[in-house]
Amino acid sequence: MTGRQLVTSAQNTWCPGCGNFTIQHTLKTVLAGMEQEGTRLDDVVLVSGIGCHAKIADYLNINSFYAIHGRAIPVASGIKLANRELKVICCVGDGDVYAEGLDHLIFAAKRNIDITVIVHDNRVYGLTTGQYTPTSPLGFKGKSTPMGTMEYPLNPLELMLASGATYIARGYTKKMDLLKTLIRGAIDHRGFSFIDVLQICATFLNLTDHYNTHTRDLPAYDRSDALLACEKIREWDYNSGAPIALGLFYQRKAPTFDEQLQHKSLPKTERLLRTREFLATRQ
Amino acid sequence: MVQDISILVGGKAGDGINSASAVIAQLLNQLGYYTYIYFDYPSLIRGGHNFAIIRGSDTPIGVHKTTVDFVLALNQDTIANHKMRFKETTLTIFNSDVVKAEGQGISVNGVLKTENAPVIMGNSAIIGAFAKAAGIPWDIIIKVFPAYIPKGTEINLRVARRAFDQVTPVYPVESIGSRRLCLITGNEAIGLGLIAGGLSAYVSYPMTPSSSLLHFLAENAQRFGITVVHPENEIAVILMALGFSYAGERVAVGTSGGGFCLMTEGVSLAGMAEIPVVLVVSQRTGPSTGLPTYTAQSDLHFIVNAGQGEFPRFVVAPGDTREAYYWSAVAMDVAWRYQVPAFILADKTLSEGTFSLDPADLPELSLGEPIDWDGKPPYRRYAETGSGVSPLAFPGTNGAVVKVNSYAHDEFGITTEDSGVVTQMTRKRMRKAALLAEAMETFSTVSTDGPANAGTALVCWGSVQGACREVARELGLRLIKPVVLSPFPELLLNRTLQGVRRLIAVEENSTGQLAALLRFHGITVDAMVLHYDGRPITPDILMDRLREVGV
Ligand SMILES: Cc1ncc(C[n+]2csc(CCOP(=O)(O)OP(=O)(O)O)c2C)c(N)n1
Ligand SMILES: [Mg+2]
């Protein structure tokens, strides 16, 4: 298929002004660009969890696995292990991947499996109408924490660096060109790619002004230097009023899980023969 | 004369009781016996008391007996803990360095020292001593050792020989024929059956008694050309498996009750998204952590009902290695033909028991093919068909946009809340259930034994069939066993039950889960024998318990 119509006829139900529109549009642009360069979009799979962000699986006219809350990453890992030709992209939420399914995020990074994870980080549970997530600022008053949270947010980039991710970036939905570069870079990167995308939630946590005044581009440095990357990652802790750097923080080459786990598949008849051979060793 | 011989071998964890029992069973196999090994061990790595009961018989067996003919003791517990296993004629062979007993003692240390052999080879000394006492020719030992003790075969043989020479034959175990069967565990049989059914990936997180299946497939991954993955937890296991399946690979997962608790959300997803997957669940004593290394049949209702919402599923509970092999292949086939989760419900007794399998006796596998997409776009993953089964395509296929979805969805796989579509899709899934039930009518979903005209029948499921079969034959009772538990073989069961006046359920749980399932389908049992101490019910215990209910 070429020149594919990339949007389905599903009715879009995101709130006006939602950051998800930008992420979807950017991903669409990236995919269209890849198709023009010769990538078969039949080889692309989108995996999502559950949340407002996850509706992107309905909206994009590409292979998709609309999974369950927090579990996009193990599904994506299975798909990649089954067929290395596929480009597997996960669109996940901050509640989805930093709360419900954090274990899978850490382990996918640790394995350096060649998938791309795009976190739609609105720092709130959107779909369940406004509870705090692991990246909500301290004191955030959500429906489940009316007095304000008593937990510091975690810094997902720092966590990813510690876990072994080989591509770590942060984007912002109002910086579309950068976001496009980051997503394309993540898909092209061989290994586990992670992008935390700051997006506003128009209804439950609108940080547009704060992001517009505090975000800035990362300066030039050796992206494969973990110590330097760590220093940059720690400049903003998802809580303070410090400047928020955007861009690619860290990237390195490393063997991927899927390339190491490649198996030689055998025809059915050969397998059956081998079960008989095995039985004979116990006779 | 009935040929039936039992050997108890016991020692500390780490004494190599498991491998000793495998060798002894193989010796009996070389003498033409059907064999069965029960392995009993606490949940620890070193110390404690492990034992195995190896049984040989001239008819197929799937259970041990309480009493034994030989006791091979590597520790004092083997004597002290097993008083009820001794008969007047029981011969004890023991390591005289650490055990006080009547019978034939050999100094294992002495033997090892003379041969300059390490302590772990002590079990070879006991095997050698047993073989001599049982009149087993030395050349059979020479034949068996290399396959079971590939490392240091020579020195192990020398250790065995030295002990062999110190003992006098007491109780000759005769050769009863030239039949040589394959000795495999239930988990190995499940693994081989899955491979015969086309398995290409196995995903599992260790949990007794399923772990040995993970180990077996991981060790033989290259031999069978499969991928084996051990991810971070059981939630990842089931979701990763669904990823494999979505991408077109035949996949299975394995766990026990606790791990399966974590998988239930994924099972419901498989039901909704119609993704084929095979789940091997091997029961242990519950609830909770329970008795990790002991058996139970207390997860039947859990497995038959697990997962929110309603969706068709296949559940089979094999009772021995022959059924395990055959039905595991069928389960894989069913999962793919009907795009449903398919369960192989095992238990510790089956999973870790070793049974004789006659490869010539394996039923012919007549497996079908899943329905593939005809290639005419647009592809609709949930296309309406008369049967309810939609043609399959996998990502990467030219021109197919393959969308699967955990939400209620339309034919394309796009989320919908439309009442009409929701009704339509629910009916589609339920049509698959009917189709599957109909297809199962051509399978032997209920097995029977004992005289067909007996008025009293035992009804059981899973590995309890070993004890039930022996008792049914001895007492002239009929034995009826549903092998497939979902879809429930109501029709065939009712047909099989014709002429039965008294029906007694035998189960290893405390509530009678099969009996309840039968009742749900309009079949009433008249009495129940329930056994729930973690140990498999033996024929002699069952006999006593049946007497209590008036048989
Ligand atoms: C196991 C489970 N628990 C809870 C829910 C309810 N739920 C749906 S979406 C969601 C949170 C979504 O938040 P996030 O991942 O940040 O996505 P967003 O809506 O903000 O895009 C929750 C808790 C669920 N679907 N499944
Ligand atoms: Mg969110």
Side-chain angles (χ1 to χ4, degrees):
Chain A
M1 232 191 246
T2 51
R4 174 187 301 218
Q5 166 64 35
L6 273 164
V7 178
T8 66
S9 54
Q11 190 200 346
N12 192 301
T13 55
W14 284 324
C15 306
C18 175
N20 282 320
F21 286 107
T22 315
I23 298 181
Q24 174 175 319
H25 185 77
T26 310
L27 192 51
K28 217 176 63 188
T29 313
V30 168
L31 291 174
M34 284 166 57
E35 189 182 32
Q36 266 168 17
E37 290 165 29
T39 299
R40 285 170 73 238
L41 292 190
D42 292 327
D43 285 334
V44 177
V45 183
L46 175 68
V47 186
S48 77
I50 298 291
C52 293
H53 64 276
K55 296 179 178 191
I56 194 169
D58 277 340
Y59 304 154
L60 283 179
N61 185 34
I62 54 176
N63 297 311
S64 63
F65 192 131
Y66 201 153
I68 51 179
H69 188 47
R71 315 300 171 196
I73 289 176
V75 169
S77 302
I79 295 170
K80 186 68 188 182
L81 293 177
N83 183 354
R84 293 195 59 226
E85 302 297 312
L86 300 175
K87 296 213 175 290
V88 187
I89 303 163
C90 298
C91 283
V92 296
D94 50 323
D96 193 60
V97 81
Y98 300 145
E100 187 83 52
L102 180 62
D103 38 1
H104 312 306
L105 177 67
I106 292 173
F107 275 84
K110 173 176 177 282
R111 291 184 192 115
N112 193 34
I113 187 163
D114 184 13
I115 61 174
T116 295
V117 172
I118 301 169
V119 185
H120 299 221
D121 191 357
N122 54 8
R123 304 172 70 194
V124 72
Y125 285 181
L127 193 62
T128 48
T129 69
Q131 300 87 358
Y132 84 102
T133 74
T135 48
S136 302
L138 179 71
F140 170 76
K141 291 193 169 96
K143 286 185 179 165
S144 62
T145 53
M147 311 298 285
T149 64
M150 287 157 271
E151 303 171 30
Y152 278 94
L154 63 77
N155 181 339
L157 279 70
E158 199 179 345
L159 181 68
M160 284 295 90
L161 187 66
S163 304
T166 51
Y167 183 103
I168 302 172
R170 184 192 293 130
Y172 171 40
T173 49
K174 290 263 155 69
K175 300 270 168 72
M176 265 176 66
D177 280 344
L178 175 65
L179 187 58
K180 194 175 127 195
T181 312
L182 293 178
I183 291 178
R184 180 60 198 263
I187 294 173
D188 290 346
H189 174 74
R190 275 188 37 171
F192 184 79
S193 316
F194 169 87
I195 313 172
D196 187 65
V197 183
L198 297 175
Q199 96 177 58
I200 57 107
C201 174
T203 307
F204 297 110
L205 186 59
N206 195 338
L207 296 172
T208 309
D209 291 343
H210 185 82
Y211 289 156
N212 283 349
T213 49
H214 286 73
T215 51
R216 63 173 178 85
D217 288 338
L218 269 175
Y221 65 91
D222 175 3
R223 295 303 201 248
S224 69
D225 187 326
L227 280 178
L228 275 178
C230 188
E231 198 177 291
K232 301 289 174 211
I233 283 172
R234 290 179 134 204
E235 275 176 11
W236 181 55
D237 63 1
Y238 283 72
N239 197 51
S240 73
I244 302 171
L246 301 174
L248 175 63
F249 286 78
Y250 183 63
Q251 184 173 22
R252 82 184 148 92
K253 275 203 185 82
T256 68
F257 189 64
D258 41 293
E259 77 195 7
Q260 294 177 86
L261 201 72
Q262 270 188 97
H263 71 291
K264 231 182 56 230
S265 183
L266 294 170
K268 247 187 189 168
T269 45
E270 176 66 21
R271 271 185 209 160
L272 202 58
L273 205 71
R274 293 196 179 190
T275 64
R276 297 295 172 140
E277 277 171 15
F278 177 83
L279 282 174
T281 66
R282 299 293 183 79
Q283 200 153 12
Chain B
M1 202 191 94
V2 180
Q3 304 283 350
D4 202 314
I5 169 180
S6 291
I7 302 122
L8 164 72
V9 53
K12 299 191 305 294
D15 275 346
I17 299 305
N18 203 355
S19 62
S21 68
V23 172
I24 292 168
Q26 190 55 249
L27 293 177
L28 297 180
N29 187 39
Q30 299 302 318
L31 296 170
Y33 287 81
Y34 288 97
T35 62
Y36 169 78
I37 307 174
Y38 168 64
F39 187 48
D40 186 303
Y41 61 106
S43 184
L44 46 75
I45 305 302
R46 287 277 179 272
H49 176 59
N50 282 4
F51 71 92
I53 295 175
I54 306 101
R55 188 175 163 206
S57 172
D58 56 1
T59 52
I61 43 172
V63 68
H64 65 283
K65 296 215 279 197
T66 302
T67 57
V68 297
D69 304 294
F70 289 88
V71 170
L72 315 181
L74 282 161
N75 67 353
Q76 193 67 39
D77 284 347
T78 307
I79 310 288
N81 293 3
H82 296 277
K83 293 253 153 65
M84 70 293 189
R85 301 194 191 282
F86 283 80
K87 302 184 283 193
E88 228 157 76
T89 51
T90 301
L91 173 69
T92 305
I93 296 168
F94 57 95
N95 177 1
S96 58
D97 303 331
V98 291
V99 180
K100 276 203 184 59
E102 301 272 309
Q104 300 210 29
I106 50 162
S107 164
V108 171
N109 274 344
V111 169
L112 293 175
K113 210 170 273 165
T114 335
E115 291 301 342
N116 211 359
V119 186
I120 48 156
M121 295 185 182
N123 57 1
S124 291
I126 283 292
I127 294 167
F130 159 72
K132 182 67 165 301
I136 297 172
W138 180 250
D139 57 336
I140 291 187
I141 300 177
I142 293 183
K143 185 174 168 210
V144 167
F145 263 48
Y148 282 80
I149 314 175
K151 260 189 244 154
T153 314
E154 278 310 306
I155 180 156
N156 272 290
L157 272 171
R158 286 207 304 277
V159 167
R161 180 72 211 202
R162 200 154 285 276
F164 188 87
D165 288 340
Q166 291 180 19
V167 178
T168 45
V170 178
Y171 184 170
V173 179
E174 297 157 34
S175 164
I176 58 168
S178 54
R179 182 181 40 225
R180 303 288 176 266
L181 303 173
C182 304
L183 271 47
I184 58 167
T185 65
N187 276 350
E188 286 168 341
I190 291 170
L192 295 171
L194 289 173
I195 289 163
L199 180 85
S200 69
Y202 184 70
V203 193
S204 179
Y205 187 87
M207 188 168 189
T208 308
S210 71
S211 306
S212 59
L213 176 53
L214 169 63
H215 303 165
F216 168 62
L217 291 176
E219 195 178 311
N220 292 288
Q222 272 190 327
R223 179 201 287 256
F224 297 129
I226 59 172
T227 303
V228 176
V229 196
H230 159 187
E232 57 273 22
N233 55 37
E234 288 85 351
I235 299 178
V237 166
I238 183 70
L239 274 298
M240 202 178 267
L242 297 183
F244 268 103
S245 185
Y246 166 75
E249 298 276 308
R250 293 193 169 214
V251 65
V253 305
T255 187
S256 186
F260 182 65
C261 288
L262 299 183
M263 293 190 186
T264 52
E265 197 189 8
V267 169
S268 184
L269 167 59
M272 177 54 122
E274 303 192 39
I275 300 172
V277 63
V278 173
L279 300 101
V280 181
V281 182
S282 185
Q283 300 161 99
R284 61 196 226 182
T285 326
S288 196
T289 308
L291 275 67
T293 59
Y294 289 89
T295 202
Q297 297 189 299
S298 47
D299 295 336
L300 174 56
H301 287 187
F302 181 33
I303 298 299
V304 169
N305 297 303
Q308 75 273 29
E310 299 167 317
F311 52 91
R313 76 189 70 199
F314 177 71
V315 180
V316 65
D320 58 24
T321 43
R322 182 177 178 274
E323 285 185 352
Y325 177 91
Y326 172 72
W327 284 103
S328 298
V330 172
M332 184 58 83
D333 193 48
V334 163
W336 280 81
R337 268 208 269 180
Y338 303 96
Q339 303 173 25
V340 293
F343 292 88
I344 298 159
L345 184 53
D347 58 31
K348 189 255 173 173
T349 309
L350 172 64
S351 284
E352 297 191 350
T354 300
F355 301 65
S356 288
L357 179 78
D358 186 352
D361 181 38
L362 285 174
E364 196 62 41
L365 291 172
S366 68
L367 305 180
E369 286 295 327
I371 307 165
D372 290 331
W373 178 50
D374 62 9
K376 293 192 193 111
Y379 176 67
R380 290 166 299 149
R381 175 61 188 80
Y382 302 103
E384 261 299 355
T385 61
S387 68
V389 179
S390 310
L392 280 174
F394 309 113
T397 308
N398 245 330
V401 178
V402 186
K403 292 179 107 64
V404 297
N405 196 340
S406 72
Y407 276 104
H409 44 259
D410 63 15
E411 286 187 278
F412 289 93
I414 290 178
T415 306
T416 183
E417 293 176 344
D418 179 274
S419 64
V421 180
V422 169
T423 309
Q424 175 199 0
M425 284 293 158
T426 305
R427 289 192 180 141
K428 163 178 150 58
R429 287 190 295 275
M430 288 307 127
R431 275 209 304 284
K432 293 198 308 180
L435 190 71
L436 172 59
E438 197 185 305
M440 276 299 128
E441 284 173 18
T442 62
F443 285 79
S444 304
T445 53
V446 176
S447 80
T448 56
D449 210 299
N453 56 354
T456 301
L458 304 180
V459 62
C460 75
W461 60 286
S463 68
V464 182
Q465 76 165 39
C468 288
R469 188 173 51 202
E470 285 186 33
V471 170
R473 287 183 187 178
E474 189 160 339
L475 300 183
L477 310 174
R478 207 187 298 187
L479 172 61
I480 298 167
K481 187 188 73 152
V483 188
V484 173
L485 295 153
S486 174
F488 199 71
E490 199 175 312
L491 222 71
L492 184 54
L493 263 176
N494 274 309
R495 215 177 305 145
T496 314
L497 281 164
Q498 269 165 27
V500 173
R501 288 186 300 277
R502 189 149 195 253
L503 187 62
I504 301 164
V506 182
E507 303 187 53
E508 286 171 350
N509 57 53
S510 63
T511 56
Q513 299 199 8
L514 175 63
L517 201 56
L518 285 166
R519 206 176 312 127
F520 186 77
H521 291 275
I523 299 167
T524 322
V525 305
D526 301 289
M528 296 194 286
V529 169
L530 304 177
H531 180 84
Y532 36 84
D533 64 2
R535 279 72 182 173
I537 192 165
T538 54
D540 41 310
I541 296 178
L542 177 55
M543 201 86 87
D544 290 345
R545 296 288 307 277
L546 284 173
R547 243 172 248 132
E548 288 169 22
V549 296
V551 174

